[in-house]
Amino acid sequence: MSVPTSERYAEMLDAALAGGYAYPAVNVTSSQTLNAALRGFVDARSDGIVQVTPAAAGYLSGAASDPVRGARALAAFAHELADGYAISVALHTDHCPPEQVDGFLRPLMTESRRRRGRGEPPLFNSHMFDGSSLPLEENLSLSSELLGECAAAGVVLELEVGTVGGEEDGLGADDVSSERLYTTNDDLLRVAEVLGTGERGGYLLAATFGNVHGVYAPEHVKLRPHILADGQEALAAAWPGARFRYVFHGASGSSQEDLRAAIRHGVVKVNIDSDTQYALTRAIADHVLTNYAGVIKVDGGVGSKQAYDPRAWGAKAEAAMATRIAEACELLGSAGHSLTG
Ligand SMILES: [Zn+2]
């Protein structure tokens, strides 16, 4: 595994777009879940992406309660483990709202710019700025500013137009009107007008098409992947040869048909959180329930160190999450696709 250089990450995204597959982007909140993600990608012989939200970065920083330090610590851990595997795993930060741009995104980009000056890969390969709470023009104006800063740091910007429903890490969009859950062609063309089509720096576009964070009953989510296809058509009509690189948020619980259609229409990154959280916690629950008398000191007993050693349940949890990630690689088509392997 290696954290890719800026150039290699661009190649990874190009290869997915040209090859009709997408990378799982796995949310992590600890060294354990990071290792689970790396293991899942290795098992599937797939390049991939791991990501951290600002809230998860704060959690990672422990008592320091400082998302920037938590994000830096996670990145350091990942860069340190970079040698020894034959795949690339890119590092990404997820949903950053406008009010955290100065306190979270910009310090991380500054570090990547310094690293670029020393000929090293960026600290994070890409950052998401989530301006979906702003009016479109404000969202695009700030996105455009950040695109320039990202490009100078060798980093890819992810932006969102429209709004992903549901709730993730305390950022909720439950009260959003339903038409905002669907991006329009006009919105998508406006993105290309303001941000260009790659010449000002590469970007990833979270264009919403009815997606909702979290797991819902299938009938609750009305995905319209054709919105993505319509956007590509409109883009190519205005800028021949140009294609959006879409990101699919809230894929948990989606049908395989919808997932495949979205990837066919240019999705290159599919965020995965709820499903892998559940796989991990399910394995821990299984360990605790089947080893109850060892994990717990029942009625004055001494328990069993083999059962309550955090590595006992941690290893099972890591393996279960890795298995779920390898399955995602198969489903999204990235399995067997490694530019380094
Ligand atoms: Zn999301």
Side-chain angles (χ1 to χ4, degrees), residues 94-95 128 160 164 168 213 249-250 271:
D94 202 7
H95 291 279
M128 180 186 192
E160 176 169 320
V164 180
E168 183 177 8
H213 285 130
H249 286 246
N271 292 358

Side-chain angles (χ1 to χ4, degrees), residues 98-119:
E99 54 276 17
Q100 286 183 270
V101 165
D102 285 341
F104 183 72
L105 279 197
R106 286 194 160 119
L108 296 176
M109 284 195 282
T110 299
E111 175 67 15
S112 286
R113 225 171 20 246
R114 279 197 209 111
R115 292 173 61 98
R116 191 175 175 76
R118 299 196 296 264

Side-chain angles (χ1 to χ4, degrees), residues 98-216:
E99 54 276 17
Q100 286 183 270
V101 165
D102 285 341
F104 183 72
L105 279 197
R106 286 194 160 119
L108 296 176
M109 284 195 282
T110 299
E111 175 67 15
S112 286
R113 225 171 20 246
R114 279 197 209 111
R115 292 173 61 98
R116 191 175 175 76
R118 299 196 296 264
E120 296 169 13
L123 189 67
F124 284 88
N125 298 95
S126 46
H127 294 297
M128 180 186 192
F129 162 62
D130 180 355
S132 62
S133 61
L134 303 173
L136 181 68
E137 288 305 317
E138 272 180 58
N139 179 358
L140 292 181
S141 152
L142 188 44
S143 293
S144 173
E145 216 177 288
L146 291 170
L147 180 67
E149 294 172 39
C150 277
V155 169
V156 172
L157 177 74
E158 178 179 334
L159 69 147
E160 176 169 320
V161 290
T163 300
V164 180
E167 183 273 342
E168 183 177 8
D169 254 8
L171 298 176
D174 275 340
D175 52 348
V176 140
S177 66
S178 62
E179 79 267 15
R180 287 206 71 195
L181 298 177
Y182 301 96
T183 312
T184 64
N185 263 1
D186 287 348
D187 290 351
L188 293 174
L189 287 176
R190 188 68 190 135
V191 170
E193 274 171 19
V194 178
L195 299 188
T197 56
E199 70 282 1
R200 291 190 47 216
Y203 61 87
L204 293 160
L205 180 58
T208 56
F209 52 105
N211 10 4
V212 172
H213 285 130
V215 177
Y216 293 86

